[in-house]
Amino acid sequence: MTDTAETPHYNRVMLKVSGEALMGDQGYGLNPPTVARIAAEVKAVHDLGVEVCMVIGGGNIFRGLQGSAQGMERTTADYMGMLATVMNALAMQAALEALGVFTRVISAIPMDQICEPYIRRRAVRHLEKKRVCIFTAGTGNPYFTTDTAAALRANEMACDAIFMGKNGVDGVYDKDPRTNPDAKRYDRISYDEALSRNLKVMDTSALALARDNNLPIVVFSLDEPGGFRGILAGKGTYTIVHR
C-alpha cells in the first residue's frame, strides 16, 4: 500500500531530460552510471503507480543549432540532432529495463528495427499498461526543439504536468544562479510572466503550447536523489509554472 506521505499528486507525467544530463562530469556522450541514476529516479516514480513518459534531448552527442551555426545546412543538422536523441532513448531504455521497468521507445521518424513509430493511441495504451514511453526524434520535423516535442507529446498523452529535470538548478530564477549569487528563485510563476521576462524554463514555442493548453510545468533539479519522487508528492524544492 502506498505511503500516504508519498501519495502522488499526478497520475500521468512527462519528464523532459536534457541530453547534457546524461553526460555526468565527462563533458560529452553518455555516462552509464549517470544514466542508471536517472533511470532509478524514474523507477521510483513508476513504483508509485504514476504513468511516466519521457523526452530526452540530444545535446550530449550533437546539437542541430550549433551544427547550423558552424555552417551546416540547418535541416540536416536538426535531423542529426534527432538521431542523437534516439541513441539517448535506447540507453535510457536499457537502464530502465535492467531495473525491471517495461519500456517502449517511440520515434517520430520511422526506424522499425530499433523502435516503434509514433501512433498516439498505441502510446496511450502502453502508458495504461504501466510501460514507460520514451518519445524520441523530436517532433520529426526540423526547426523544433525537444522542449517543443515534450510539450506536444505531453498534451497528446493527456499528461497532468511536464517535469523539467535540470542540472544544478532547482527551479526557475530571475537570473542564472550559477553566476549570480543574488538570483531569486520563484516558487510559482505564470506562463505569461515567464514568457515576457524570457526566463529559461523551456523554449518559447513549448512554453506557449503548455500555456495554451493549461499544462503545468514543474522545474526541479535531477541532482537530488529521490527528488523526482518527492516532488510528485509535493515535497522538495521546485518551481511550478501555471496560469
Side-chain angles (χ1 to χ4, degrees), residues 80-135:
M80 291 174 67
M82 291 179 214
L83 295 177
T85 71
V86 177
M87 295 171 69
N88 286 339
L90 292 173
M92 183 59 65
Q93 179 183 43
L96 283 166
E97 294 198 336
L99 296 173
V101 179
F102 293 109
T103 310
R104 294 291 186 272
V105 174
I106 301 171
S107 175
I109 299 174
M111 44 186 84
D112 295 347
Q113 289 178 302
I114 57 175
C115 49
E116 292 185 9
Y118 176 68
I119 300 171
R120 189 190 66 83
R121 291 175 66 89
R122 181 188 292 175
V124 169
R125 186 64 177 140
H126 286 320
L127 290 171
E128 291 170 348
K129 290 183 176 180
K130 306 304 180 185
R131 297 165 182 157
V132 171
C133 289
I134 307 175
F135 297 107

Side-chain angles (χ1 to χ4, degrees), residues 117-198:
Y118 176 68
I119 300 171
R120 189 190 66 83
R121 291 175 66 89
R122 181 188 292 175
V124 169
R125 186 64 177 140
H126 286 320
L127 290 171
E128 291 170 348
K129 290 183 176 180
K130 306 304 180 185
R131 297 165 182 157
V132 171
C133 289
I134 307 175
F135 297 107
T136 192
T139 66
N141 302 289
Y143 296 94
F144 290 93
T145 68
T146 50
D147 280 357
T148 303
L152 174 64
R153 298 294 184 236
N155 278 298
E156 290 178 310
M157 295 299 105
C159 290
D160 299 319
I162 303 174
F163 281 72
M164 298 289 292
K166 300 287 187 179
N167 290 19
V169 180
D170 57 1
V172 178
Y173 286 77
D174 60 350
K175 47 195 168 184
D176 190 342
R178 291 168 288 198
T179 55
N180 298 277
D182 61 339
K184 173 190 171 185
R185 186 181 63 81
Y186 299 97
D187 289 327
R188 294 177 174 270
I189 191 169
S190 71
Y191 303 110
D192 289 336
E193 186 175 358
L195 283 165
S196 65
R197 300 186 62 180
N198 196 29

